[in-house]
């Protein structure tokens, strides 16, 4: 299967809100509420930010939120902070026990 | 606290084999599904394989089917990835990751990650 589609880069100023989209198909995002989002700083392991489309693990700031419409999931970060600058990856269950990542989005905080 | 520690990476020639290990601690390993995820240098994340908590069910991404085998030893709290017939395109940091803590079933997200081990396939 092809990777989920994310914008290569997004940017925003401190305090602003940004949204990262993640587009799949009816075979993955469109069929399951099993979308998760990960934050990765350079040289570090990824960190879970959102799971099951909208749920936030304990310890993750409520500035991070997730949603889904049809075959597209979205991650919104409000009140941008310098430490939010990182790569972000979406991931969806794709059936038959398999998972599919997006290509990743580099977030720059201006 | 949950800890996942990968080992076994290194430089290997194309066509050769390598076995990665992931030592788990801080949770009941035998009730958690486990995944391998890789990241080629400068590239994005790619899901590689999953094994259910009891080892009875395994799934792989298409590019490694027939070459890689995931296994686990619940008595040793250890996850493995046997990689055979390695290719240059398998060069990556390999992470083990715990499936979200849905006891004895699958959640299909990754709530804890190891620090990764680098595999370089080169002649």
């Amino acid at each position: 299967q092809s990777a989920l589609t994310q914008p290569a880069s997004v940017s925003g100023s401190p305090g602003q809100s940004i949204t990262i989209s993640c587009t799949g198909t009816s075979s993955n995002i469109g069929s399951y509420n099993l979308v998760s989002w990960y934050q990765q700083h350079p040289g570090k392991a990824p960190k879970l930010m959102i799971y099951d489309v909208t749920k936030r693990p304990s310890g993750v700031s409520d500035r991070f939120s997730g949603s889904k419409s049809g075959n597209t999931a979205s991650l919104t970060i409000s009140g941008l902070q310098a430490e939010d600058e990182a790569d972000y990856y979406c991931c969806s269950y794709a059936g038959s026990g398999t998972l599919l990542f997006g290509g990743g989005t580099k977030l720059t905080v201006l | 606290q949950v800890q996942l520690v990968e080992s076994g990476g290194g430089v290997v020639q194309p066509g050769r084999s390598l076995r990665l290990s992931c030592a788990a601690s801080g949770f009941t390993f035998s009730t958690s599904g486990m995944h391998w995820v890789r990241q080629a240098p400068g590239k994005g994340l790619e899901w590689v394989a999953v094994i259910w908590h009891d080892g009875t069910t395994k799934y792989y991404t298409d590019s490694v089917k027939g070459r890689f085998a995931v296994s686990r030893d619940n008595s040793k709290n250890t996850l493995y990835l046997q990689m055979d017939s390695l290719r240059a395109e398998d060069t990556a940091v390999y992470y083990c990751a715990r499936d979200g803590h849905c006891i004895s079933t699958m959640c299909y997200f990754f709530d804890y990650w190891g620090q990764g081990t680098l595999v370089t396939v080169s002649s």
Side-chain angles (χ1 to χ4, degrees):
Chain A
Q1 290 197 30
S2 299
L4 306 174
T5 301
Q6 298 181 232
S9 63
V10 297
S11 62
S13 300
Q16 287 186 331
S17 294
I18 63 96
T19 295
I20 299 172
S21 62
C22 172
T23 301
T25 70
S26 58
S27 297
N28 39 68
I29 291 177
S31 289
Y32 309 98
N33 289 321
L34 293 170
V35 177
S36 52
W37 290 88
Y38 303 87
Q39 176 192 66
Q40 186 180 35
H41 288 107
K44 301 294 188 180
K47 175 187 176 184
L48 176 66
M49 304 304 285
I50 295 288
Y51 67 99
D52 293 353
V53 179
T54 62
K55 297 176 183 176
R56 206 170 40 245
S58 61
V60 172
S61 171
D62 61 4
R63 298 186 298 105
F64 291 82
S65 62
S67 62
K68 188 186 93 166
S69 177
N71 296 338
T72 298
S74 298
L75 173 71
T76 298
I77 309 173
S78 59
L80 267 181
Q81 299 179 1
E83 58 261 35
D84 299 333
E85 186 162 294
D87 293 327
Y88 290 85
Y89 294 90
C90 61
C91 183
S92 174
Y93 181 67
S96 301
T98 65
L99 289 140
L100 197 58
F101 277 101
T105 298
K106 181 177 180 58
L107 169 62
T108 300
V109 180
L110 302 170
Chain B
Q1 67 286 15
V2 172
Q3 271 202 308
L4 299 170
V5 180
E6 303 93 337
S7 61
V11 180
V12 61
Q13 293 179 329
R16 304 298 290 266
S17 298
L18 205 60
R19 188 177 84 156
L20 306 182
S21 299
C22 170
S25 60
F27 65 103
T28 305
F29 183 72
S30 61
T31 63
S32 291
M34 296 295 297
H35 301 263
W36 287 100
V37 176
R38 67 183 178 183
Q39 187 170 33
K43 303 297 185 181
L45 300 171
E46 180 185 24
W47 175 80
V48 174
V50 63
I51 184 168
W52 286 26
H53 68 286
D54 56 4
T56 58
T57 302
K58 308 168 188 180
Y59 295 103
Y60 301 90
T61 192
D62 285 347
S63 62
V64 308
K65 282 179 184 175
R67 300 189 300 122
F68 289 13
V70 59
S71 62
R72 63 191 297 158
D73 185 336
N74 285 347
S75 69
K76 295 182 178 179
N77 290 346
T78 303
L79 173 73
Y80 302 101
L81 185 66
Q82 177 67 40
M83 303 186 294
D84 298 329
S85 303
L86 281 162
R87 306 168 180 168
E89 54 264 36
D90 296 319
T91 294
V93 173
Y94 285 74
Y95 295 99
C96 67
R98 190 181 81 166
D99 190 73
H101 205 43
C102 299
I103 307 297
S104 300
T105 185
M106 298 300 289
C107 289
Y108 297 111
F109 62 89
F110 320 102
D111 62 351
Y112 287 95
W113 298 66
Q115 84 290 348
T117 187
L118 176 61
V119 173
T120 302
V121 184
S122 173
S123 53

